[in-house]
Amino acid sequence: MIENWTKEFIIQRLLSITLLVVLFILCFQVVQFFIVPALWAAILAYVTFPIYNFFHEKVRLSSNFSAAIMTVSISLIIGVPLVIGIFILQQEALSIISNLIYRVRVGYVDVPDSIKDLPILGQQVKDILWRINKNPEGTLEAFRLWVQSHLYYGKVALDVVFSSLAKLGMALMTLFFFYRDGTSLIRQIRQALRNIIGNRIDGYIDSVGSTTRAVVYGIGLTALAQAILAGIGYYFSGSPSPILLTILTFVVALIPFGTPFAWGAVSIWLLSQGHTAEGIGLALWGVLVISWVDNLIRPIVISGATKIPFIIIFIGVLGGLTAFGFVGLFIGPVVLAIGLAVWREWISQNKNEIFAPQEIVLNDNQNPLPVDERTENN
């Protein structure tokens, strides 16, 4: 066959490969912004696809109408808490800023005595408070100048917010097409991978599916349960804005072992404000109740459904978060699940060679010799 590789054939192949590489790069540049929204849409569609099948197959609605129902429902589930959270956050921020400006103008900016009595920072805090209360107008003017000099960071923050909202909108729009054409798309992807790798790809795809579903349910259920329990603790401990704190706790709880930083910070704040009983009570509630949810639901749902050690899932979640951002919470465990499936398949195919017992015989001096050396001696 090599003899048939003429100069024209080689040039034609090189040009074809070059054009394919250029086409791939151009396509990647075009869709780069939409990769993360598409991943989010794919995860949501895959996890909730049984509900779509219920409307499409059981209720016998059209694919377009079923996809529209699911897309609108998911949009409301995500959008309503997001809008409420943004509204509450805005109100709280305005309240805090207004209260702080009022305190500066009347010359009464103070912190709890527990902070002023700190061994190293206490005196510095006292000096800063003294300068602020001594010259309120100068303090406000300095604050205005500082804000004007840092407007660029505000623009960057707004760009990030608008970019995130645009990605969310794109993900919800893509979600409709994943519902409607998801089955056909999966078949095409499965066949394309089967052409490259072979029939073994079916096992890998099944592993990806079970891991994705288990990770989403495990992380989502755990975060929701912890947020609800934390919200109960915030309400009874008299924490400010318990609804906002519950929403923030849910976001933090998506990260493994991140929930203690949420309720722990609120507990410390209550203690610093002199609410000793409430702060200690919230801390005990967090240690004895909230933390146990993470130890029960997440390992049972994830490891029990996927037969994958929880440490693999844990590394995948944190590693994926570091490598891919927030969507890496779900991509990381899936990547490691595929790697583990490949490893198990390789071990299974070669177990006779890896785990085969080596026959040992004794020579004339009663020294054990492997079979190979016995054959040479004979």
Side-chain angles (χ1 to χ4, degrees):
M1 181 178 178
I2 298 179
E3 291 79 1
N4 297 329
W5 284 18
T6 62
K7 181 178 180 181
E8 292 77 7
F9 178 80
I10 295 175
I11 293 175
Q12 183 181 6
R13 287 291 183 180
L14 290 176
L15 287 176
S16 300
I17 294 173
T18 303
L19 290 175
L20 286 175
V21 171
V22 172
L23 178 62
F24 176 80
I25 294 174
L26 292 176
C27 290
F28 178 78
Q29 292 294 327
V30 172
V31 303
Q32 183 178 7
F33 178 82
F34 306 100
I35 292 177
V36 172
L39 288 174
W40 278 115
I43 292 171
L44 288 174
Y46 181 79
V47 172
T48 58
F49 207 76
I51 305 177
Y52 165 81
N53 280 334
F54 171 79
F55 288 110
H56 182 49
E57 297 178 0
K58 302 295 184 181
V59 187
R60 297 187 180 279
L61 300 176
S62 65
S63 59
N64 286 324
F65 193 53
S66 300
I69 291 176
M70 290 298 302
T71 304
V72 172
S73 301
I74 296 295
S75 300
L76 292 176
I77 292 173
I78 296 176
V80 171
L82 181 63
V83 172
I84 294 176
I86 292 176
F87 177 77
I88 295 176
L89 182 62
Q90 177 189 7
Q91 296 298 319
E92 290 296 325
L94 291 176
S95 176
I96 292 174
I97 293 174
S98 300
N99 185 41
L100 182 60
I101 292 176
Y102 172 77
R103 285 176 174 269
V104 170
R105 284 178 175 173
V106 299
Y108 184 70
V109 178
D110 201 5
V111 297
D113 293 336
S114 58
I115 297 178
K116 291 187 290 186
D117 294 337
L118 291 175
I120 300 176
L121 300 177
Q123 187 59 43
Q124 296 181 7
V125 172
K126 292 179 182 179
D127 295 338
I128 294 173
L129 292 176
W130 182 81
R131 288 194 295 268
I132 291 175
N133 294 325
K134 181 181 179 182
N135 187 10
E137 294 300 328
T139 301
L140 292 175
E141 182 64 24
F143 178 73
R144 281 191 289 265
L145 293 175
W146 182 85
V147 171
Q148 292 177 359
S149 63
H150 291 78
L151 288 178
Y152 171 77
Y153 298 103
K155 180 179 179 299
V156 172
L158 288 177
D159 290 341
V160 172
V161 171
F162 286 125
S163 176
S164 300
L165 292 177
K167 289 181 178 180
L168 177 60
M170 181 57 61
L172 294 175
M173 186 177 69
T174 308
L175 186 62
F176 172 84
F177 297 97
F178 279 166
Y179 282 128
R180 192 188 67 179
D181 307 319
T183 303
S184 175
L185 181 61
I186 289 296
R187 288 186 188 138
Q188 296 178 38
I189 294 175
R190 187 184 289 267
Q191 184 59 47
L193 294 175
R194 190 181 290 119
N195 294 339
I196 298 174
I197 301 176
N199 292 330
R200 70 180 61 182
I201 193 62
D202 295 330
Y204 299 156
I205 292 178
D206 293 339
S207 177
V208 170
S210 60
T211 302
T212 302
R213 188 181 294 108
V215 169
V216 172
Y217 288 159
I219 293 178
L221 289 176
T222 302
L224 181 61
Q226 288 186 314
I228 293 175
L229 291 174
I232 295 173
Y234 299 149
Y235 176 79
F236 285 101
S237 64
S239 303
S241 304
I243 297 178
L244 177 61
L245 290 176
T246 302
I247 295 174
L248 294 177
T249 302
F250 173 76
V251 176
V252 175
L254 293 173
I255 303 173
F257 308 109
T259 315
F261 292 98
W263 56 259
V266 178
S267 177
I268 293 174
W269 184 86
L270 290 173
L271 291 174
S272 67
Q273 297 299 312
H275 304 292
T276 305
E278 292 83 351
I280 295 176
L282 180 60
L284 292 175
W285 178 258
V287 172
L288 300 177
V289 179
I290 300 176
S291 295
W292 276 104
V293 175
D294 192 34
N295 297 331
L296 290 176
I297 296 181
R298 201 188 302 260
I300 292 175
V301 174
I302 296 179
S303 298
T306 60
K307 307 302 180 184
I308 297 175
F310 181 70
I311 185 62
I312 300 294
I313 300 296
F314 177 72
I315 294 174
V317 169
L318 295 185
L321 181 66
T322 304
F324 304 107
F326 207 65
V327 72
L329 287 171
F330 310 100
I331 295 179
V334 170
V335 171
L336 292 187
I338 296 174
L340 184 60
V342 174
W343 168 260
R344 286 173 174 173
E345 182 184 19
W346 181 80
I347 291 294
S348 177
Q349 291 178 351
N350 299 273
K351 62 181 180 181
N352 292 332
E353 300 176 7
I354 298 175
F355 301 105
Q358 188 176 29
E359 184 180 350
I360 302 297
V361 297
L362 298 178
N363 60 6
D364 296 337
N365 297 324
Q366 299 300 313
N367 294 323
L369 288 178
V371 175
D372 296 338
E373 294 188 20
R374 188 186 80 168
T375 303
E376 293 176 1
N377 293 335
N378 294 337

